[in-house]
Amino acid sequence: MLESAVIDQLKTIVGDGNVGDDDVTRLSYSYDATPQYQSLPDAVVKPRHTKEVQQIVRLCRTHHIPIVPRGAGTNLCAGTVPLEGGIVLLFDHMNQIIEVDEENVCARVQPGVNTQFFIEQMEERQLFYPPDPSSMKISTLGGNISECSGGLRGLKYGVTKDYVLGLEVVLANGDVLHTGGKLAKDVAGYDLTKLLVGSEGTLGIVTEATLKLLPLPETKRTMLAWFNTMEQAAQTVSDIIAQRMIPATLEFMDQRTIQAVEAYAKLGLPTDIGAVLLIEQDGAPAIVNRDIEKIRTICEQANAVSVQVAQNDEEGQRLTTARRSALTALSRLKPTTILEDATVPRSKLADMVRAINKIADKYDVQICTFGHAGDGNLHPTCVTDSRDEAEIHRVEQAFEDIFATALEMGGTITGEHGVGVVKSPYLEWKLGESGIAVMKSLKQALDPTGIMNPGKVFAKASRKRIVIGA
Ligand SMILES: Cc1cc2nc3c(=O)[nH]c(=O)nc-3n(C[C@H](O)[C@H](O)[C@H](O)COP(=O)(O)OP(=O)(O)OC[C@H]3O[C@@H](n4cnc5c(N)ncnc54)[C@H](O)[C@@H]3O)c2cc1C
C-alpha cells in the first residue's frame, strides 16, 4: 500500500477526485483483456496534462513506486496488469484532438483519444488514419502507439509505427522528451520515435503524438472467396500479391472459426468449407473495380468454390461482419478465450495453419485460427476454461509449440499484440542474447530505477528452447 502522505501528494497534484485507492477502483484496474492475469494496483491516478504527469513521475521515482500507463486495457499480453502494484495512470482527461493540420496532413493528439472516434473525425474531413485494430471501438491512440498496433488495413497501409511522426514523452526522470514532428523528412540522430512506439509503457509515458494522415480513399469494395482447403486460400493470397495486387484488406478464417461465426451470427455461411478470404480494395472507383475483377478472376482460377462481391456499402459491411465477429463468436464457445498472434512469412500461411491444427490435436485442445492472411499474421485462438488446470497446462504447451514453429518458419512470436508478460519468456527466442542485452541497456539508460511498467517485456527467466535434432 502507498503511504497516506504519498496519496495526499498525488491528490495535491491532480485533485482529490482523480486519485482512487478504494478496493473497488483497485480491483477494476487489476486486470486487462488478457485472461488469467491479475494483480492489484495501490492507486489509480488520472492526470489532466503533461505537467501533472511529470510531477507524478517525479514523486514515484523518489518513492520507487511502479507506474503502469493504461489506455483502454484491451491489450492481450497482460501489459497493463500492475504486477508489482504501484499506480495505474489513466488518460481519461487527456483525450483531445489538439490540432488537425490539413496543410501538413497530420494531427496532434493526446493519448486518451478513442481510436474509432479519431478515425471518424478524420474521415469527416476527407482524411484517413489507416491503423484500425479490431478493438478500435474501445482502444486509445496512446495504447495503439505503445503496442504498435496493426489492423485489417495493415497489408496495404502498414501499422501504427508508420503513422507516428512525433511524440511527446515523459521520461522516468520526469523530463519531457520531444521526438520527430510534422516534417515528412527528418533523419537527425537516432530514430527515437520508432524506439518509443511499441515500447509498451516501459520507456516513458506518451503524453502527445503527431500522427500522419492520408487523403481518404474515394471508394471501397468488399468480397468473400470460399475455398475447400486452407492451402487453396493461402495459395490465392500468394497469387493475388504475385500479380502486383495489394488489397487494403486480405483476411482469412479457417473452418473451425467459420463454424463458430455461423453459429453465432447466423449469416448463412457454409460450415463445411475449408477457409474463407475477406478481401477489400479501396481507392479511385475505376481502379477499385478493376482490382476487384482481377482478384475475382484469380480466386476463380485458384478453384474458389464461390466468390461473393458486395454490390454496395451495406452489403460490404455485412460481409466484413463475418470476419469482425470471429473473436466474439469464439468467446461464446467456452468460458476462457486465449487469442494469440504468431506471424509467419505469407508463403507459410497454410503450413502454419496445418501445424497449429496438429499441435491442437497433440495437446487435445480446441484452437481455431483466423487473421491477417496478407500479413502472415495468424490469430490461433484457444477456447478453454481457466478453472481446468490440466487443460490450461496443455494450452500453454500448445502455444509454446506454436511460437517455436512460427520461429522455425522464419516468423515471430507476435505480429501486433506486443510482448507484455505473456510473451516475455519467448522474446529471447526471437531476439537472441545480444538483442535482449541491447534492449536491457536501453531500458537501463532510460529507466534506471525500473519504475516504468515493471515486469513487462523482460522475463525473469527465458524459456529454454529444446531443439531435438533429427
Ligand atoms: C477484441 C480485441 C481485438 C483486438 N484486435 C487487435 C488488432 O486487430 N490489432 C492489434 O494490434 N491489436 C488488437 N488487439 C489488442 C489491443 O486492443 C491493442 O494492443 C490496443 O492497441 C491496445 O490499446 P489500449 O488503449 O486498450 O491500450 P492498453 O491495453 O491500455 O495498453 C497497451 C500498452 O500500452 C501502454 N500504454 C497505454 N497508454 C500509454 C501511454 N500513454 N504511454 C505509454 N504507454 C502506454 C500500456 O502500459 C500497455 O503496455 C485487440 C484486442 C481485443 C480485446
Side-chain angles (χ1 to χ4, degrees), residues 14-15 17-19 45-49 52 90-96 110-113:
V14 296
N18 290 317
V19 180
V45 184
K46 297 183 191 172
R48 293 166 292 192
H49 43 73
E52 288 184 357
L90 298 179
F91 301 95
D92 302 24
H93 300 307
M94 296 175 68
N95 64 355
Q96 299 302 306
Q110 289 186 312
V113 175

Side-chain angles (χ1 to χ4, degrees), residues 128 153 156-157 217-221 246-248 280-284 287-288 291:
F128 184 37
R153 304 192 275 236
K156 183 168 174 180
Y157 293 104
E218 284 173 59
T219 189
K220 181 172 81 176
R221 287 192 74 185
I246 305 292
E280 280 185 351
Q281 183 57 303
D282 62 7
I287 293 175
V288 171
D291 284 1

Side-chain angles (χ1 to χ4, degrees), residues 117-132:
F117 173 76
F118 179 65
I119 290 173
E120 287 169 357
Q121 290 294 304
M122 295 307 102
E123 286 182 358
E124 277 184 20
R125 294 165 176 257
Q126 297 300 302
L127 292 167
F128 184 37
Y129 180 69
D132 61 338

Side-chain angles (χ1 to χ4, degrees), residues 4 48 152 240 254 277 320 399 411 439:
S4 58
R48 293 166 292 192
L152 270 62
I240 292 169
D254 72 355
L277 294 179
T320 316
F399 276 123
M439 280 185 42

